[in-house]
Amino acid sequence: MTQTAPRTALVELSGVGKHYGNVRALEGVSLEVHAGEITCVLGDNGAGKSTLIKIISGLHQHDGGTLAVEGEETRLSSPREALDRGIATVYQDLAVVPLMPVWRNFFLGSEPRKGSGPFKRLDVEFMRETTRAELLRMGIDLRDVDQPIGTLSGGERQCVAIARAVYFGAKVLVLDEPTAALGVKQSGVVLKYVAAARDRGLGVVLITHNPHHAYLVGDRFVLLKRGAMVGNHTRDEITLDELTRQMAGGNELDDLRHELQRP
């Protein structure tokens, strides 16, 4: 009987830790990110989610454990190196210029040019058409790519950022609380395009504090608390109720319930 060889993770963290002086920000955190899958990282404020993002995106280096990209152990020295290795991060406070049109923000920092010498100029037509086409490929049908990106809803701006990362060749997409400031309908829109990125073959890391959003799209779930990993499950190992219970504190919540009961 032929055995299938194990897949190499796009990104794999094993026992990763990070200290700032005497402060432990992360310790012993492990996770895997595979092509065509969504790994959800859950935790409250102060759980270590932001530190984890910074390590994966190359902003900070880990000082314990190992980080491997496509099977090669490495230490990412900068966000540019992470991008060059195919890891794109979309932060909660999107790096956009609100008054610039959607197409200009789509290519911000990577604007194609045409012509030569003193006649070299931005290829505006290419950027407009490419932006429109790439958004449509992700299922995003904007009214007008010439409209200022600041006129879009928060969910629409998140979707543009996701489409941009896909277009520029990301293999791994790290999303920092993309639904945190959104209502139910807009959150649904964003999760739809997160799933679209997964279906395009990207490995997605979804950082969130909402277990319901995570369970809608997630394949793997890593739970953090005070910098430590308190859970690591695949989808078939855990139910939404149990994920919510662990996220809410589990046994600590049961103890609190007993303390708060009327005598």
Side-chain angles (χ1 to χ4, degrees):
M1 184 175 179
T2 304
Q3 290 188 341
T4 304
R7 291 184 300 160
T8 300
L10 294 175
V11 172
E12 183 175 4
L13 277 65
S14 181
V16 161
K18 178 66 180 176
H19 290 72
Y20 299 99
N22 293 326
V23 177
R24 181 196 74 173
L26 276 184
E27 188 168 325
V29 174
S30 300
L31 64 80
E32 295 180 10
V33 184
H34 290 271
E37 290 187 359
I38 298 175
T39 298
C40 298
V41 179
L42 300 102
D44 284 329
N45 293 337
K49 302 191 303 296
S50 295
T51 302
L52 185 65
I53 291 174
K54 290 171 182 174
I55 291 172
I56 297 174
S57 65
L59 195 60
H60 290 175
Q61 289 191 339
H62 56 289
D63 49 29
T66 60
L67 165 65
V69 178
E70 296 187 273
E72 179 186 346
E73 188 175 331
T74 187
R75 299 176 70 86
L76 298 171
S77 60
S78 68
R80 171 51 60 186
E81 183 183 353
L83 273 173
D84 290 343
R85 299 291 295 269
I87 303 171
T89 303
V90 177
Y91 291 98
Q92 193 174 336
D93 50 343
L94 298 171
V96 298
V97 182
L99 296 180
M100 281 187 176
V102 173
W103 61 265
R104 188 67 192 271
N105 275 279
F106 192 91
F107 281 93
L108 195 62
S110 303
E111 295 87 347
R113 299 174 184 274
K114 62 181 180 180
S116 59
F119 301 104
K120 198 169 187 178
R121 61 198 185 280
L122 293 177
D123 194 342
V124 174
E125 183 179 353
F126 173 82
M127 286 190 281
R128 279 199 183 108
E129 291 304 315
T130 300
T131 300
R132 184 177 292 110
E134 288 302 315
L135 292 178
L136 279 173
R137 285 183 68 189
M138 290 289 291
I140 307 167
D141 189 7
L142 286 185
R143 297 176 295 278
D144 182 9
V145 295
D146 281 303
Q147 68 188 99
I149 200 168
T151 63
L152 302 182
S153 68
E156 288 172 326
R157 289 197 296 273
Q158 287 279 355
C159 297
V160 170
I162 291 170
R164 182 183 191 276
V166 172
Y167 173 72
F168 282 102
K171 297 178 183 177
V172 175
L173 182 61
V174 183
L175 299 169
D176 175 23
E177 299 270 11
T179 63
L182 304 179
V184 174
K185 185 175 181 180
Q186 285 296 314
S187 294
V189 170
V190 172
L191 291 174
K192 174 183 173 183
Y193 296 121
V194 172
R198 172 201 65 199
D199 294 343
R200 293 280 295 273
L202 276 73
V204 180
V205 181
L206 176 63
I207 311 292
T208 182
H209 63 269
N210 190 316
H212 294 272
H213 291 172
Y215 205 78
L216 279 171
V217 295
D219 298 289
R220 301 169 185 268
F221 307 95
V222 174
L223 289 97
L224 300 181
K225 182 178 180 182
R226 298 174 188 167
M229 188 172 69
V230 294
N232 190 348
H233 313 280
T234 58
R235 188 180 184 86
D236 58 0
E237 294 173 342
I238 194 167
T239 64
L240 173 58
D241 287 345
E242 179 60 21
L243 184 66
T244 304
R245 179 179 177 277
Q246 290 190 22
M247 179 68 190
N251 293 332
E252 291 183 12
L253 201 62
D254 293 336
D255 294 340
L256 180 62
R257 184 181 297 111
H258 289 303
E259 291 178 22
L260 297 178
Q261 283 179 347
R262 293 180 183 274

